[in-house]
Structure formats: structure tokens, C-alpha cells
Amino acid sequence: MIRKAEAKDIFYIVKLEKKVFNQSLGEKFILQELTDNPFSHYFVYVIESEVIGYIGFRVYDSQAEMMNFAVLPDY
């Protein structure tokens, strides 16, 4: 299931980033994107209550900028 990311997903997003990229944008950055940036949109892909992927992007007028996109290697 794909759904809009929530603050409760931040821990799992950071964990996913570290597994896929060996680094993370960080909890503080992602929280700010979810709560303070009206241009920011984050979605998670969940299977059996596990976040296995996510995408974050910003939309400005008719353009979009992808911030990050990751999926667990097993998927």
C-alpha cells in the first residue's frame, strides 16, 4: 500500500536510507519536510506493516524536484 508519510514513519525512513545509501538525510530534516515545508510531499510503500520504500519530492509551480527515493534491496 502506498500512503502519505507521517511523522511516525521517520524512524523507518531513516533506517531504510541507511540500509540503501549508508547515510540518511536525518530525522530532523525529514520531520521538517513533513511538517514545515508546504512544497514537500513524502510517500511510503508499506507491506505487512513494514516500510519497504519511500519517495520524497518538492513541487514548485509546474516543476518537481525529487529529494530521495529508496526501496529495500529485497524488493
Side-chain angles (χ1 to χ4, degrees):
M1 171 177 82
I2 297 173
R3 63 170 172 75
K4 190 170 179 133
E6 302 171 2
K8 68 179 183 179
D9 299 315
I10 293 172
F11 169 81
Y12 302 102
I13 292 171
V14 169
K15 184 177 172 183
L16 174 75
E17 287 181 329
K18 288 180 179 177
K19 185 165 190 166
V20 173
F21 304 126
N22 295 320
Q23 61 183 358
S24 173
L25 295 171
E27 292 177 12
K28 186 176 178 180
F29 177 84
I30 297 169
L31 178 62
Q32 184 178 14
E33 288 289 283
L34 292 177
T35 59
D36 297 335
N37 188 340
F39 304 104
S40 178
H41 304 276
Y42 278 68
F43 292 87
V44 292
Y45 184 27
V46 180
I47 295 178
E48 296 179 8
S49 302
E50 180 183 8
V51 174
I52 61 105
Y54 90 101
I55 187 169
F57 59 95
R58 293 177 181 168
V59 176
Y60 303 96
D61 299 320
S62 63
Q63 299 179 9
E65 173 187 10
M66 186 181 305
M67 300 304 295
N68 234 349
F69 174 75
V71 177
L72 286 175
D74 291 344
Y75 293 90

